[in-house]
Structure formats: C-alpha cells, structure tokens
Amino acid sequence: MSLHALRAFRALLVGVLVGGLAPSLRAEISSEGREFWLCFQRNHEESGNEVLTLMLFLTSRWEALVRVTIPGLGFDTLLQLPARTVVPLAIPPAAELRSSDQVEVRAVHIQADTPVAVYALNRRRQSTDTYMALPLTALGTEYRAVCYPRLSAAFVPQIAIVGTADSTEVILSPPEPFVQRAKELGTRVNEEFLSPRRIVLNRGEVYQVWGPSSGEPADLTGLHIRASRPVAVFSGHVCAYVPLTVPACNHLVEQLPPVQSWGRHYYVGKLRWRSRYVVRVVAHYPNTQVFINDRPILRLGAGEFWEQTFTENVQITADKPILLAQFSEGYQNGDSVGDPMMLLLTPSQQFLPSYRFATPVQGEWRHFLNLVVPLSAVSSLRFDGAPIRANFEPVGKSSYAIAQIEIPYGSHVVEADEPFGLYAYGFGYGADSYDAYGNPVGQAFRAVEQQQDVLPPIAEISQQRDRVEVVMRDDRPLDRGLSEVRILRSENLQGRLPLITPGMLRAEASFAPVNPKSSGYAVLALTDVAGNRSVVTLCYTYDLREESFLFVLCDGEYPECVPAVRLWFAGGYLQLANVHHRAAVPRAGNLPPMDGVFRDATGWAGIGGVLAGIRLSPDWGLAARVSLELYGGTLAAPDTVLRRVRQSDGSVTNFQEERLLTLKAPYLGVGISALWFGLGRLYLQGELVLHVRLGSAITLQRRILQPPGYVYSQTQTPEFEESVGTFSGLRAFYGSAALGAGLSYPLTTSWSFLVEAFYRLGLSDLVTVGRWRLNQLGMRLGVLYRWWR
C-alpha cells in the first residue's frame, strides 16, 4: 500500500471513529475535546539562527487515536495515545505565522476518537510561552483581545484568528475607549487600527495581525473580534517587557475563551519565586463594576481594560463577566528569575474537579502549580494520587485558598472532591535564564450568562469581645453579588450597615447590644442582584452552655431565634464547716443527774452530699440537695454546786466537776436552694434545709475542774464515759437556712468543677428541753455533670 493510500486509510479511520463515537461521548463542554484548530504565532528572533521549537502535548483519560494535520504544509501524522499518558508531538517550524494582515494556510488541525487535552509550546532561546488549546466545542463567535503594549518596531502585540468553517466573516472592531485612548496618547495615529476590519476565512485558514510598529495604538488589548461562525482566536505579543520599564522580553501567547464563557469571580495567586505580578482586567459589557477583595475599584466601559501590580493573593470580581490575564515580570525587576509570561485566569464558575497535564520544557527549569481550592476541599486534594502538602493561604474572607507548589518534570494528575482552579508555569535558570512559560491547565466552558442565580444570599457571624460582625455573602460560583441589606426590625441591638455596591460578593455589618445585660435581636433582609432574598435573625442571648451572653444567627424571622434550652445538672461534693453550738441544755431525757447546763461550743462538721438542679433562666435556677453531716464540738456543763473535799495533806478545798457531751449521731439533710447567676459563672444562693436525725448516739464524759491537779481515786479514771450512750432528748429533725456563693468552672462541655462557700443559721433546736442550735461557716468542693433539654 502506498504512503498516500495509508494516509487516506488513516484519515478515513479517524473520521469514522470521530463521527461514530461523538454522540456516545457527548458530555459537558470543557478544555478536553475531539477536534481542535490551532496556530503558532510569531516568536522573537534575535539573530536569525535561534532554533524554533513548536510542540504539542496531548493526553487523554482513555486510549485515543489522534490525527494531526497541517494542510498548508502537507503535515499528517497519526498518534496512538495510551490512557493517562501525556504524549509530545513536534510541529514543523514552518507552521509559525510570519505575516501580518494576510490569510495563511498554517492552521494545525487535531482530530481524536475520544476527548483529549492539548497544550502547545512556542519556544526560541530565552523566549518561551505555552497555551492551553480549546476544542471546537468550546469556541464561540465573540472575543476580546488581551495583549501587551509595543516594545519596539519588531516586538509588537499580535492577534491570530483561525477559521473552522468555510465562508466565515470576521470583523475586528476597536472599542470606543480604544480609539479615544489612541488619539489622546499618540502623536501619530494609525487610522487603519481605529476602524473595523472585515475578512473572510475558510476552514483551516489563519489571519494574523500585528500591532503598528509605531504611533498609536501601541496595544491591541480590548479589540473586539466577531465572527459569523465559531473561530479560534490567539492573542499575545512577539516579545514583551512586563511592565514596559523592566527588561527582559519574552514571547506571550494564550488561546482566548469566547465572551460567553467569561466569569465574574477570579482568585489570583502569587507566583512562586516572584515578588510581584501584573494583572489585566478586560471588560466586554458597558459600565462593568470591578471589585478587589470586595472593595469597588472602578467601572470599565465595553472594551476597556485596567492593569494593576500585586504582591499578594487577591480576589477580583465584577458585576458582569470579565476576562483576566496574569503576567510575570521581567528578569530585572529585582527577582533575577525568569522573564514575562502570560496566563489567562479561570473564573470559579468554570473550575473542574480533575486535571491531567505535562510540564512542557526540560532542562534548567523549575516548574510550579498555583492551586485555587475551596477551603472545604483542601484536604481532598491529590497530586499523582498522593495528598498535597502545601501552605494554603485564604484569599481575604472568601471561601477559597491558594497555594503554590513545585513539581517535577513530566506528566501529572491533580484531583479533588470539588471543582478547583489550576495553573501551570515555570521559570528558567542557568542556561535557560531569561525564560518563562505559563498557562491554565483546564476549565469548563459553560455559558455563564445563561445560567441563573437562584440561590439567596447567606450570612455568618464572627463574634468579637462586645460586638459581632455579620458577614453577608453571595459568592458561590453562579452568584451575581449583593444588591441590598436592610434591618427590618430590632430590639436592644444597634447596627452599622455597610454601603452596598451592587455586585459586591461580601459585606460586613457590625452589631452591639445597647444594654449588654439584656437580650435583643435584629432581623436582616438580604437581597442579591438576581432578586433572590433571604431573611436572617441575629439574636443576642444568654447561652446556658457557655454561661455567658453571645450572638446567634438563625435563618428566618424569629425574634426568639434560640430554642428554649434548660440546663440540668447533678453531682456530688465534700463539705467541711466550722460549726458553732449555741446551747443551753439542762438535764434532759435520759442524761444522768447533774448540776450544770451544757453551754456553747465550736468544732468541725464534715462529710458531703449530692445535688441536682435546673437553670430556669439565665439568672435563676433551683437545686435540691441531700447531705450526710457529722457535727464536731464538745459541749461542757460545769457543776454549779461546789463541794468540800479533804486533800491528802489533811486540808479541805472546793471540789467541782463538769460533764462533756459530744454528738455522734449523723444527720441527713434534705434541702432546696434558689440560685441567682447574675454574676456570670459566680452565683449566689439561698437555702432551706430539713435535717433528719439518723440516730441518738452521744459521748458523755466527766472530769474534775478543781482543785487543780486533783485526781480521782485509783478505782476511777480521771475522765470516764458515762453509761449513757444515746440521748433520748434529741429531736427527730431540725431546720436551718443558709446563704452562700459559688463558682461553677467548666472542665469540659458536660463536666464542671464546683466551689461553694456558705453560712448556715439554725432555725430550730436539736433538743426537746433547753436550747441547742447549730450555726455553720463552711465550704463545699465537688463536680457537676451538665446536660441540656
């Protein structure tokens, strides 16, 4: 079979595969596809003998049969792509576009039997850049150019347009701001760039236009490209300084997404190894409001652009779709690394959950990735199947974070549980100094303006010491931003609302209580640009769990937005008290005959008990206690009648004895307390207790008071226990009242440490005859278990 016949057979095979399998493989439009039309724009050529390297990198999740042709050069090759592998393909240098304002047959046509991703490299020594190719399904009919200003007569901005169907009419129109700026800035205006151009392209034809070599305009950014049928558009620069005052130059190129796939939310990350970067924002719609980290910056007209240098990660958003390009700066900006490169940023509306790509150049290069990831998906990130270890920095108060990681040369896969943004770039060093490349790795191509924003704004709070910040958000991928925030009604909360610029993704309102000791609320209505409305209620209320006033945010219009929660608690404690016996107890019950009366005494009381209670409100609670108590202290009853005794030397002296009574019977206390929590974790309590006698055991002793040193006879001990072991004169119960203060200190959510101090006053007597009351000053130590219902 001849070579011509073999090529014809291969062409037929690919055609059958592409046509036959297309319906079954149809899926959401992304940067992967089965047909591409590409081109390679003019690159810097310093001495005329630098080697030009043009490369394609192709990859697929499945095995793929791919045909690559350049009809104008007779180039035709068939590739077999293994699944999950990146395959490089060298393209003849003759494919480089060498003319301006002319139609050439230099387009590269790619066909595959299953979706593939394609990346392109355009490289000369010290002048390199890459771009992500867009499949035919992602192309559109309306574009805006992103370039950079002219550096010299040879180093100019450039745009290339590839026709994908015969008889495609293309109109290149400068926007009005473009024309006005050129006339204001230029001493010599190139009129041919300030009026529309009309060309007709057939399938596979390429039209490239360079910016003027002198005069104005010096930049083609914002140029409007409209076509009667889908076209592929490429934009950039032969070799640019970025910014214009910083050497050295580098080739810039990206394939442009159509206006219909632009987005409103962008997250821009710092570039590894570089101290700063440049961003260009291009508007398509008139009166486009641009925000930087939720601050309104400026409004752009149709075709206008804005350029700014940044040193940190930023969020750039707009109320209408915009296009963003990020540039690294030249080698001599102070970093002494790499050179300019251009990469187009992907709006969050077009993020994907998985990417497969390859680093495009080998040698003395360092390759990096910028990852823009939802905070909720950071832990799920995988690089070549392994978790990613990186320092993710949140972007302002958004729900996204950005990290830069260095990667080795080769093909890689990055995946996560949620859609995220991914950009690949690299900087040369050593022999490859003064060089750089960069490109997005992939994206979806949803028609953003055709997707409705149906989700209402949301709110969350950040509590400060004595106030709260309410963060209002309308920043999900399809959200169009806030429109209005209003306070419907409030009580005891004073708020300061932000000034809302329609399209702002986030805003903060500050609230503080007028009276910090009283509850309050504020009902807020949030409306977004799409007309979606939500109502939330901010409550200032006492939280029994935290035992403090705090702010709570609830959905809906509920002044009582915190459910009624009651705190229950139970625990045990040990008790120690100094007890004062206020007594005047004569002979009573079964006490032996005596002359005196038992009087006051002091001692120590102890053991402990259990308690349980409930917090009825932030300020009040009830508790019940059951305790077991033993009372120390010895009551003395001296004889009131003196007797005369003869001493051993024959002298006669006064003789006096006393009896000593110690209460041994335990008492069971059953009490109820009212607790006031107006001091926070400290509380005051009042208590009534009924003490029930559990026995009548006593110790009764006697001893000689005088004469001093007098002792009993040998048949008696100096002190001896009377035969009475119980006291029948004790009452069955007595009552007391107590005042105290306590502290409940949380150890965990459910457990807390208890400290109480109290003074207890006896309300009734322990005895049936006489007076015997107990007063106590003591302390309790214990633990509590808490739960809520």
Side-chain angles (χ1 to χ4, degrees), residues 585-598 727 769:
V585 182
R587 177 188 176 189
N590 59 337
L591 292 180
M594 59 182 184
D595 296 328
V597 175
F598 291 102
F727 184 18
V769 177

Side-chain angles (χ1 to χ4, degrees), residues 84-318:
R84 299 177 295 278
T85 302
V86 177
V87 175
L89 175 66
I91 298 298
E96 181 188 28
L97 302 177
R98 301 296 297 173
S99 65
S100 177
D101 201 18
Q102 293 183 17
V103 174
E104 300 183 72
V105 186
R106 289 287 188 271
V108 180
H109 190 205
I110 302 171
Q111 294 172 287
D113 65 342
T114 190
V116 298
V118 180
Y119 307 92
L121 166 74
N122 189 333
R123 184 187 188 196
R124 289 190 193 272
R125 180 178 176 271
Q126 298 181 348
S127 184
T128 303
D129 206 0
T130 57
Y131 66 83
M132 177 184 70
L134 306 185
L136 186 62
T137 52
L139 303 182
T141 59
E142 193 169 22
Y143 296 84
R144 291 281 183 180
V146 183
C147 304
Y148 213 72
R150 178 184 62 244
L151 180 59
S152 67
F155 296 162
V156 293
Q158 56 187 0
I159 300 167
I161 305 166
V162 180
T164 66
D166 291 341
S167 302
T168 299
E169 183 181 17
V170 181
I171 302 176
L172 285 73
S173 303
E176 186 59 31
F178 185 107
V179 176
Q180 293 179 357
R181 185 168 60 249
K183 291 182 177 180
E184 291 171 359
L185 298 178
T187 56
R188 184 171 67 84
V189 177
N190 290 278
E191 295 293 342
E192 66 270 25
F193 285 91
L194 303 183
S195 58
R197 298 187 184 197
R198 286 179 169 82
I199 58 172
V200 176
L201 293 176
N202 291 319
R203 188 171 184 261
E205 292 182 338
V206 186
Y207 173 79
Q208 179 171 254
V209 58
W210 299 336
S213 59
S214 62
E216 294 296 333
D219 193 347
L220 300 182
T221 299
L223 189 72
H224 189 200
I225 300 106
R226 289 178 297 163
S228 59
R229 298 182 181 183
V231 292
V233 182
F234 302 81
S235 183
H237 203 284
V238 174
C239 198
Y241 279 6
V242 179
L244 280 175
T245 56
V246 176
C249 81
N250 205 20
H251 183 59
L252 304 179
V253 62
E254 285 287 3
Q255 182 171 358
L256 298 176
V259 170
Q260 67 179 14
S261 63
W262 291 9
R264 293 183 293 269
H265 310 167
Y266 293 83
Y267 300 86
V268 193
K270 298 176 290 185
L271 300 174
R272 191 76 171 269
W273 267 20
R274 308 310 303 268
S275 60
R276 55 186 180 269
Y277 60 89
V278 174
V279 170
R280 281 197 161 193
V281 179
V282 182
H284 176 70
Y285 299 96
N287 198 32
T288 297
Q289 176 69 61
V290 179
F291 302 87
I292 305 294
N293 292 336
D294 302 316
R295 292 184 299 108
I297 300 298
L298 79 164
R299 291 185 180 273
L300 295 175
E304 281 191 305
F305 69 91
W306 175 72
E307 180 177 312
Q308 183 65 42
T309 299
F310 294 96
T311 59
E312 298 295 335
N313 301 332
V314 296
Q315 182 186 26
I316 301 178
T317 62

Side-chain angles (χ1 to χ4, degrees), residues 3 404 447:
L3 180 60
Q404 299 83 27

